[in-house]
Amino acid sequence: PMTVPSGVKAYYVKAAGSDEVTLTRVPSGKAIPAGQGVILISTSTGTFVMTESDGTNVADLTDNLLKATLNNGTMTFTANDYVLAVKGSGDWKGYFAFCKTAAGTVVENYANRAYLQLSTSEANIRMRFDDDATGIGSIENDADKTPVYYDLMGRRVDNPTKGIYIVNGKKVLVR
């Protein structure tokens, strides 16, 4: 079992629909059980060190759908395997999704990673967090400054084109 470092959240996949999975947060203060796949998220940059737990206070990830790769050997994916990847282009560039692998794809040195193994035929699987990891809480902007535009995913947009944006906490349509 491994202890999650301060400033990092760990998630596992507890439920899957036809085109979406639900990521459930490992409770704070709980260690990740040995051999379990998780996704680690932090809003800080830098290096984080996972430390071995003494085996007490370990989270129960019984229904975890993420598979862990634990050695440096060769990984051969099947038709129902999905890996986490950055997708999109244009305004949607940079979103994460679980993407279907081609059956028989071989990857070398695929250690310390996690992947999904599902019984679905979707090309990409969306992620939904079961806590407050996503969404826009509030956006503040001084009225006398140049307005700052945000897309509906909360990302700052320097050069808005046609579409719906958030400016000063309100939805604005740019034509």
Side-chain angles (χ1 to χ4, degrees):
M2 300 300 282
T3 302
V4 179
S6 177
V8 176
K9 294 179 182 179
Y11 292 87
Y12 67 103
V13 176
K14 187 174 181 178
S18 64
D19 67 346
E20 179 179 271
V21 293
T22 301
L23 280 84
T24 301
R25 185 172 175 193
V26 174
S28 295
K30 296 276 189 177
I32 300 166
Q36 291 290 316
V38 295
I39 295 175
L40 302 173
I41 297 176
S42 177
T43 57
S44 303
T45 58
T47 302
F48 296 95
V49 178
M50 301 288 287
T51 57
E52 196 169 327
S53 166
D54 63 4
T56 61
N57 209 18
V58 177
D60 178 14
L61 306 186
T62 303
D63 298 325
N64 189 10
L65 298 175
L66 283 172
K67 307 294 182 195
T69 61
L70 304 174
N71 60 32
N72 281 330
T74 300
M75 175 68 191
T76 303
F77 290 106
T78 68
N80 293 323
D81 292 342
Y82 292 79
V83 295
L84 188 61
V86 178
K87 296 293 292 177
S89 61
D91 290 341
W92 293 102
K93 186 175 184 181
Y95 74 88
F96 288 91
F98 281 103
C99 302
K100 191 174 187 101
T101 62
T105 299
V106 177
V107 180
E108 297 291 333
N109 300 320
Y110 199 73
N112 301 317
R113 296 195 174 39
Y115 66 98
L116 277 172
Q117 196 169 59
L118 302 173
S119 58
T120 184
S121 61
E122 296 294 325
N124 298 320
I125 304 291
R126 295 176 294 156
M127 297 182 294
R128 184 176 59 81
F129 291 83
D130 72 350
D131 68 354
D132 63 355
T134 61
I136 301 171
S138 67
I139 299 173
E140 298 177 15
N141 187 24
D142 295 330
D144 59 341
K145 292 184 179 178
T146 304
V148 178
Y149 291 81
Y150 294 89
D151 66 14
L152 296 178
M153 293 183 68
R155 297 176 297 196
R156 187 178 179 142
V157 177
D158 292 328
N159 299 311
T161 58
K162 292 181 181 180
I164 299 173
Y165 298 93
I166 299 172
V167 179
N168 294 329
K170 296 182 179 174
K171 291 179 188 169
V172 173
L173 176 63
V174 175
R175 295 180 187 210

